[in-house]
Amino acid sequence: CILGTHHEKGAQTFWSVVNRLPLSGNAVLCWKFCHVFHKLLRDGHSNVLKDSVRYKNELSDMSRMWGHLSEGYGQLCSIYLKLLRTKMEFHTKNPRFPGNLQMSDRQLDEAGENDVNNFFQLTVEMFDYLECELNLFQTVFSSLDMSRSVSVTAAGQCRLAPLIQVILDCSHLYDYTVKLLFKLHSCLPADTLQGHRDRFLEQFRKLKELFYRSSNLQYFKRLIQIPQLPENPPNFLRASALSEHISPVVVIPAEASSPDSEPITDLVEMDAASQSLFDNKFDDIFGSSFSCDPFNFNSQNGMNKDDKDRLIEQLYGEITALKEELENFKAENARGAVQLRGRASELEAELAEQQHLKQQAQDESEFLRAELEELKKQREDTEKAQRSLTEIERRAQANEQRYSKLKEKYSELVQNHADLLRKNAEVTKQITVARQAQGDVEREKKELEDSFQRVSEQAQRKSQEQAEVLETLKRELAASRHELQVLQGTLESSTQAGEEQNTRIASLEQERDRLSQAAEQHRDKMAALQAELQQLRDTLSREQESSRTELETLQAQLRDKQSTERALQQRLAEEQLSLLQGTAHEAERMVQDALARMEDPAHISCTGSADCLLSQTLAASECAGRLQDAHSKYLSDGAAVGSLLPCLALFAHLVSNTLLQGSATSHVAPVESADRLLELCKQCGSETVSYLSALQDPGMVASADCSLVTACLGQISAIGEELRPRGLDVRQEELGDLVDKEMAATAAAIETASARIEEMLSKARAGDTGVKLEVNERILGSCTGLMQAIRVLVLASKDLQREIVESGRGAASPKEFYAKNSRWTEGLISASKAVGWGATVMVDAADLVVQGKGTFEELMVCSREIAASTAQLVAASKVKADKDSANLCKLQQASRGVNQATASVVASTKAGKSQVEEKDSMDFSSMTLTQIKRQEMDSQVRVLELETQLQKERQKLGELRKKHYELAGVAEGWEEDG
């Protein structure tokens, strides 16, 4: 299959065969298809990817179908198909990556175009790609029973075989991911790439585990040498860690390094086997080819072999021996080629490793060079330190001398201190003896105190007992005395109580008399108060009655006022609603009138500019916003109708103007834009009418919304922007020079035209005679007069422009004046170009008429076009001129002269045309009735053809005028004039 893709430069044949295979019905067949297709994407022709992209959706559908099966090859096929789809998408987005992913560092940099954004996106895509590879890896391992030697069984090898391609892809993807991450960390902050690092660490752990498990399988040991990843992942935060990275290299051993060598050996062996089989069959049928010659008929006839036959037999033997040697030689060559390919692969791996070691050595040399520079700096610092150390030693010697003196003094102090310590020890010893004697005295003293304490306590106890007895006797005596005093007090109190009782009775009688008098007075006061109270109650009842009556009257008046106020409010609301309805009705009528005027045939001739349309649309949009705000205020407060009505009237007026202006602008716009503009204007009018109708309905006032009208106005404004002409593509600094250049070019064109007319007149006088000479002289003479009149007009225009610039520029330069008045300047430039172009075209038309190749009509049109161009130049020149200017009068006289000369050219052209037509009049004298009838029919056919052509030309003229209007707006700044 791989050779076939390179032979036909594509994979059409492969897919034509695959489409006939039952991949959706046989999971094992689908698994083997995925394996073959993976190898084609890696080792096939580069067009395999292009031919396979169109089947990507079919592979996705098949992947989803197989994903519904949870056992067997279903999940394996689903994940493998997802991987193939991801691989195709990756190579489609990144065409610089070949199918086998083998690239150099320079090619990797070129793939990212040295743009950090491209490297960032490429890293994400590689993560996704590697994730799909690891999913397939893990799914295959999880589907195998690793407790048995599955790698030596046919079923296990069927599942493990595609992992060789996965290992090759993973090794390259891991290498490129590490390099890209180092590159990204050199350009972006570490926090931005935290997600990349986390995702890389997860994939690093998975890939390391899968590589380790794969390297222990017997199946892979004889087919591929799987690299081992480092113990720890790279540290991307340290730039120098890139030099420690070793690219994983997958080595295919010699016996499996070149799959193409196995078929060669097989073919040689098959050729030898088939040859021996053929010889055996031949011997079985015709007899042994070694025992007798099959072509020796002499022996069959009983004749002996001669020398020639023996020579032939000998030669056959030599040929057979040579064939065997040749076959052996071919087999040895094939084995040698296989060994050489394996050796080449090993050498390539060693070369890659040596290159990596070389790079690492270069990095180490740079590191050592940097360290050497640091050591030199340290050496210089050391020398400085030695010099400072010498100074420090000198100071240290002086300090040692001082120290020796201090040490001597210190020895003396120590000796004195020792003497004092000895004296202190003696004194302390004497104090200790004295303290011991004092302790003995204190102990004796304490014993005496204890004995004295005991004696005193006994005497105190005896005195306490005697005191207690004495106290008891005193308490008894006191109690007797107290009882006697109590009896005496009781007797005295009884006597006093009797006297006090008598006194109290007398006072109570007096109090009774006084209280009876006070009670009589109180009864009198109570009667007076009750009478006053009754009087107050009567007064209060009367006042309450009058207050109740007055309150009822006031409440009735209040109710009347409230009802009157409600009636007035209702009437006011009705009047406000009626006013709103009337205003909305008038506004609706105004918009409907505008819509009707759009359909009026008399309005078709009206035209307008896109800038005027944009200004009207902007004003209408702003008014619509104010109207929406006023409407919201009116809904919240009905008294705010005063702010709604003016906005409503102005809104209808502006929308009507916008509709009419849009219709007028569509008459000069391209057909497609005109149709869209008319349609939007009609839609805007209908939406406005709907909104105004809603305002007239009391039930729909709250739900009325003019957002649709605002949207239509926005769309009309967008079309107006499209129709708006663009200005000249000239910098304002160049306008002044461009005016002078155009005026000079116009004058030069007029001079050239005059010279050509004189030359044509000379040729006509020399070569023409009769009527033709007369016609040509008259036409060329009138053209010469027109050129002279145009020359005078251009000179007058220059003088007037110079006067305008001098009078209007002030202290500025002429170029600054032209730049300041850029639109006026662009009008002058456009008019000058038109005059020069018209003169050149008229001369060309006159030349063709004189030669007999042109038409008189073309000459008349050119002369009229020149008159229009000069009128444009005059109008552009006198825009900023003073009305009393003498140069303006000269310019107007020159303009009238141009018009007269143009009329002369048209008159002479018509006269010449009449003379030529009279000369070429038809002669009917010799024609028969049949011929005349035939000519009449031909003339009628010609008339119909010319009428049809005239109608088409008129339509074309209309389209050309519309296009000229647009381009003229660009050249002369009509958008500002509008």
Side-chain angles (χ1 to χ4, degrees):
C1 290
I2 294 173
L3 293 176
T5 59
H6 286 281
H7 178 69
E8 70 173 2
K9 294 181 174 58
Q12 293 88 353
T13 305
F14 172 76
W15 281 107
S16 64
V17 174
V18 168
N19 288 333
R20 296 195 295 269
L21 296 177
L23 299 180
S24 300
N26 192 328
V28 178
L29 180 62
C30 182
W31 176 255
K32 291 183 177 294
F33 155 74
C34 295
H35 186 191
V36 173
F37 183 44
H38 196 171
K39 298 190 83 169
L40 283 184
L41 289 176
R42 282 185 54 83
D43 303 326
H45 194 270
S46 58
N47 290 334
V48 171
L49 178 63
K50 299 178 182 178
D51 295 337
S52 304
V53 169
R54 65 175 70 109
Y55 299 99
K56 186 168 63 175
N57 294 330
E58 297 179 6
L59 296 180
S60 299
D61 296 338
M62 197 183 305
S63 173
R64 285 193 294 271
M65 187 271 294
W66 284 117
H68 295 301
L69 297 180
S70 58
E71 297 180 355
Y73 282 87
Q75 289 292 329
L76 295 177
C77 292
S78 176
I79 295 176
Y80 207 166
L81 289 169
K82 289 180 183 177
L83 169 60
L84 296 177
R85 178 185 172 91
T86 304
K87 184 176 180 67
M88 287 191 291
E89 291 176 349
F90 176 81
H91 289 290
T92 303
K93 291 180 182 178
N94 305 282
R96 294 178 181 268
F97 282 82
N100 56 9
L101 297 174
Q102 292 182 0
M103 295 179 67
S104 62
D105 293 343
R106 183 177 59 81
Q107 292 173 336
L108 183 62
D109 293 338
E110 292 176 354
E113 299 177 356
N114 291 326
D115 187 356
V116 66
N117 296 320
N118 295 340
F119 286 130
F120 191 92
Q121 182 62 27
L122 182 59
T123 306
V124 174
E125 293 173 359
M126 284 190 177
F127 279 145
D128 297 338
Y129 190 0
L130 186 57
E131 188 71 28
C132 294
E133 301 272 5
L134 295 176
N135 287 339
L136 179 61
F137 225 134
Q138 291 180 331
T139 307
V140 171
F141 276 141
S142 62
S143 66
L144 297 174
D145 186 4
M146 303 306 292
S147 62
R148 298 183 298 169
S149 299
V150 293
S151 64
V152 298
T153 62
Q157 292 179 1
C158 180
R159 299 190 183 190
L160 293 174
L163 296 185
I164 295 177
Q165 311 302 319
V166 175
I167 292 172
L168 293 172
D169 287 346
C170 289
S171 62
H172 292 297
L173 289 174
Y174 168 77
D175 184 31
Y176 299 155
T177 304
V178 172
K179 294 177 180 178
L180 288 177
L181 283 176
F182 273 111
K183 190 178 295 295
L184 287 175
H185 277 80
S186 65
C187 302
L188 297 176
D191 296 340
T192 306
L193 300 172
Q194 182 62 41
H196 280 50
R197 291 197 299 274
D198 295 341
R199 193 171 182 185
F200 174 79
L201 291 175
E202 181 182 358
Q203 293 185 354
F204 173 80
R205 289 192 291 269
K206 292 181 181 178
L207 186 62
K208 181 179 178 181
E209 179 185 0
L210 293 173
F211 274 8
Y212 177 74
R213 294 177 64 182
S214 302
S215 61
N216 294 328
L217 294 178
Q218 187 64 32
Y219 175 71
F220 290 119
K221 288 183 178 179
R222 65 183 185 85
L223 295 177
I224 188 171
Q225 183 177 345
I226 302 173
Q228 295 299 322
L229 299 184
E231 185 67 25
N232 297 318
N235 185 6
F236 299 109
L237 302 179
R238 185 168 57 90
S240 60
L242 178 60
S243 61
E244 302 173 2
H245 169 66
I246 300 176
S247 301
V249 179
V250 179
V251 179
I252 300 177
E255 58 271 18
S257 62
S258 178
D260 298 337
S261 63
E262 295 181 14
I264 295 174
T265 308
D266 295 341
L267 288 174
V268 173
E269 294 175 355
M270 184 179 67
D271 190 10
S274 61
Q275 181 66 30
S276 62
L277 181 61
F278 175 79
D279 293 339
N280 292 334
K281 289 183 177 180
F282 189 86
D283 293 341
D284 294 339
I285 297 173
F286 299 98
S288 178
S289 60
F290 296 99
S291 61
C292 61
D293 189 10
F295 300 100
N296 186 5
F297 299 101
N298 294 327
S299 62
Q300 296 177 2
N301 297 329
M303 298 178 64
N304 295 325
K305 298 180 181 179
D306 54 5
D307 296 337
K308 185 177 181 180
D309 294 333
R310 284 193 298 274
L311 181 60
I312 291 172
E313 184 178 355
Q314 183 179 358
L315 291 174
Y316 273 123
E318 292 178 357
I319 289 171
T320 303
L322 290 174
K323 285 183 178 179
E324 293 177 354
E325 291 180 1
L326 179 61
E327 291 173 357
N328 295 331
F329 182 70
K330 288 181 179 179
E332 291 178 359
N333 284 341
R335 286 192 295 272
V338 171
Q339 294 176 357
L340 290 175
R341 288 192 185 95
R343 183 58 180 167
S345 300
E346 294 176 358
L347 292 175
E348 288 177 355
E350 292 178 359
L351 178 61
E353 186 176 1
Q354 292 296 329
Q355 289 177 350
H356 176 72
L357 293 175
K358 177 184 177 183
Q359 183 66 29
Q360 188 174 359
Q362 290 178 353
D363 295 339
E364 290 179 355
S365 64
E366 293 178 358
F367 179 72
L368 292 175
R369 192 177 294 110
E371 286 188 350
L372 181 60
E373 294 293 334
E374 293 180 358
L375 290 175
K376 289 181 179 179
K377 293 180 181 179
Q378 292 179 0
R379 181 180 178 184
E380 294 176 357
D381 296 339
T382 305
E383 292 177 353
K384 293 179 181 178
Q386 287 179 354
R387 288 193 295 271
S388 60
L389 181 61
T390 305
E391 182 68 21
I392 291 171
E393 289 178 352
R394 186 178 59 79
R395 293 177 182 176
Q397 289 178 358
N399 291 332
E400 286 181 357
Q401 293 176 359
R402 276 195 222 99
Y403 175 73
S404 58
K405 295 179 180 178
L406 292 173
K407 190 175 181 180
E408 292 176 356
K409 293 182 179 180
Y410 176 73
S411 300
E412 294 177 359
L413 292 174
V414 169
Q415 186 66 31
N416 295 331
H417 181 64
D419 296 337
L420 291 175
L421 288 176
R422 284 194 296 272
K423 292 178 180 179
N424 187 22
E426 293 177 358
V427 172
T428 304
K429 189 175 181 181
Q430 293 176 0
I431 291 172
T432 303
V433 174
R435 284 179 178 176
Q436 290 178 356
Q438 185 178 1
D440 294 339
V441 173
E442 287 179 354
R443 280 195 299 273
E444 293 176 357
K445 182 179 179 181
K446 190 174 183 180
E447 290 176 357
L448 292 174
E449 287 179 353
D450 291 340
S451 59
F452 177 77
Q453 185 70 23
R454 286 194 297 273
V455 173
S456 63
E457 287 178 356
Q458 291 177 0
Q460 188 176 1
R461 280 197 299 271
K462 290 180 179 180
S463 62
Q464 285 180 355
E465 291 176 356
Q466 293 176 359
E468 287 176 358
V469 173
L470 180 62
E471 187 68 26
T472 303
L473 293 175
K474 286 180 179 180
R475 281 197 299 270
E476 291 177 355
L477 180 61
S480 299
R481 289 177 180 176
H482 181 66
E483 289 177 357
L484 180 61
Q485 290 176 357
V486 168
L487 292 174
Q488 290 177 355
T490 303
L491 181 60
E492 291 176 356
S493 62
S494 298
T495 304
Q496 292 177 357
E499 293 176 355
E500 290 176 358
Q501 191 71 24
N502 294 328
T503 306
R504 187 175 181 184
I505 291 170
S507 64
L508 286 175
E509 288 177 354
Q510 293 175 0
E511 184 71 20
R512 184 185 64 184
D513 296 336
R514 187 176 58 82
L515 289 176
S516 61
Q517 293 175 0
E520 187 67 25
Q521 295 175 359
H522 187 266
R523 280 194 294 270
D524 295 337
K525 289 181 180 179
M526 283 292 293
L529 289 174
Q530 285 179 357
E532 187 179 358
L533 178 61
Q534 185 64 31
Q535 184 179 0
L536 290 174
R537 284 177 180 175
D538 296 339
T539 305
L540 180 61
S541 62
R542 288 193 299 272
E543 289 180 355
Q544 286 178 351
E545 186 68 25
S546 62
S547 298
R548 188 180 301 108
T549 305
E550 187 177 358
L551 179 61
E552 291 176 355
T553 304
L554 292 175
Q555 288 179 350
Q557 293 178 358
L558 179 61
R559 285 194 294 270
D560 294 338
K561 288 184 179 180
Q562 288 177 350
S563 60
T564 305
E565 185 178 358
R566 284 195 295 270
L568 290 174
Q569 288 180 352
Q570 184 176 1
R571 183 178 176 184
L572 178 60
E574 291 176 355
E575 290 180 355
Q576 289 177 348
L577 180 61
S578 176
L579 186 59
L580 176 61
Q581 290 176 348
T583 306
H585 179 70
E586 290 297 325
E588 181 181 358
R589 189 176 61 79
M590 189 184 303
V591 175
Q592 288 178 348
D593 181 57
L595 290 173
R597 289 179 61 187
M598 289 174 60
E599 302 296 336
D600 189 2
H603 183 67
I604 296 177
S605 60
C606 297
T607 60
S609 65
D611 286 291
C612 186
L613 175 62
L614 287 174
S615 63
Q616 290 289 341
T617 307
L618 179 61
S621 299
E622 293 176 352
C623 185
R626 294 195 298 272
L627 177 61
Q628 189 68 25
D629 296 337
H631 186 205
S632 302
K633 292 180 181 178
Y634 171 71
L635 293 177
S636 60
D637 184 10
V641 71
S643 61
L644 177 61
L645 296 179
C647 291
L648 189 61
L650 180 61
F651 172 71
H653 175 70
L654 292 176
V655 169
S656 301
N657 289 345
T658 301
L659 297 180
L660 293 176
Q661 186 64 33
S663 177
T665 306
S666 67
H667 294 157
V668 294
V671 178
E672 183 179 356
S673 298
D675 293 340
R676 287 194 295 125
L677 183 57
L678 278 176
E679 186 65 26
L680 283 174
C681 288
K682 292 178 182 179
Q683 183 182 355
C684 181
S686 62
E687 294 294 343
T688 306
V689 170
S690 300
Y691 173 66
L692 296 175
S693 300
L695 290 179
Q696 298 177 38
D697 189 357
M700 297 179 63
V701 173
S703 61
D705 188 11
C706 65
S707 59
L708 296 177
V709 182
T710 307
C712 293
L713 291 174
Q715 295 177 0
I716 293 173
S717 178
I719 295 180
E721 287 290 346
E722 295 177 1
L723 296 177
R724 191 176 183 183
R726 304 295 183 261
L728 286 174
D729 190 14
V730 180
R731 293 196 302 268
Q732 291 185 349
E733 296 81 359
E734 301 176 1
L735 286 175
D737 297 335
L738 191 57
V739 171
D740 297 336
K741 291 180 182 178
E742 289 300 332
M743 295 299 292
T746 302
I750 293 170
E751 294 293 337
T752 304
S754 300
R756 286 186 61 188
I757 290 174
E758 293 293 336
E759 183 181 354
M760 286 188 289
L761 185 58
S762 301
K763 289 182 180 180
R765 288 172 179 171
D768 298 333
T769 58
V771 176
K772 186 175 182 181
L773 177 60
E774 182 181 356
V775 171
N776 291 341
E777 283 183 345
R778 187 184 300 115
I779 292 174
L780 293 176
S782 61
C783 290
T784 302
L786 179 60
M787 290 296 109
Q788 292 176 355
I790 293 173
R791 185 186 299 110
V792 174
L793 177 69
V794 171
L795 293 176
S797 176
K798 284 185 177 179
D799 294 337
L800 181 59
Q801 291 173 19
R802 190 177 302 108
E803 178 183 348
I804 292 171
V805 172
E806 292 297 331
S807 62
R809 68 185 179 91
S813 63
K815 290 185 179 180
E816 293 177 352
F817 177 80
Y818 284 125
K820 181 179 180 182
N821 302 274
S822 59
R823 292 304 180 190
W824 176 71
T825 307
E826 290 170 0
L828 289 177
I829 294 170
S830 177
S832 301
K833 286 183 177 179
V835 171
W837 175 81
T840 304
V841 172
M842 192 193 74
V843 172
D844 294 337
D847 190 9
L848 293 175
V849 169
V850 171
Q851 295 177 6
K853 299 179 182 179
T855 60
F856 293 98
E857 289 80 2
E858 184 177 0
L859 185 57
M860 288 188 285
V861 171
C862 290
S863 61
R864 289 170 181 165
E865 185 65 28
I866 287 180
S869 300
T870 53
Q872 180 184 353
L873 180 60
V874 172
S877 299
K878 72 178 185 179
V879 167
K880 293 184 176 294
D882 187 4
K883 62 181 180 179
D884 298 329
S885 175
N887 289 324
L888 179 60
C889 295
K890 291 181 181 179
L891 181 63
Q892 291 174 346
Q893 292 176 359
S895 175
R896 286 192 289 272
V898 170
N899 292 333
Q900 293 175 0
T902 303
S904 176
V905 171
V906 174
S908 62
T909 304
K910 288 183 178 179
K913 180 180 179 183
S914 301
Q915 286 182 347
V916 173
E917 289 177 351
E918 289 176 0
K919 179 182 177 183
D920 297 337
S921 61
M922 296 182 64
D923 184 13
F924 300 103
S925 61
S926 61
M927 296 179 66
T928 62
L929 178 62
T930 304
Q931 291 176 345
I932 292 174
K933 186 66 176 177
R934 180 65 181 174
Q935 291 289 336
E936 181 182 357
M937 292 175 63
D938 292 341
S939 297
Q940 290 178 355
V941 172
R942 182 62 178 165
V943 167
L944 293 175
E945 291 177 353
L946 291 176
E947 287 177 350
T948 304
Q949 187 176 0
L950 177 61
Q951 185 177 1
K952 292 181 179 179
E953 289 296 328
R954 282 178 176 170
Q955 293 177 355
K956 183 178 179 181
L957 179 60
E959 295 296 331
L960 290 173
R961 283 178 176 172
K962 288 182 180 180
K963 189 63 178 178
H964 178 261
Y965 172 81
E966 297 177 2
L967 298 178
V970 176
E972 300 184 13
W974 289 356
E975 66 276 8
E976 291 188 359
D977 297 341

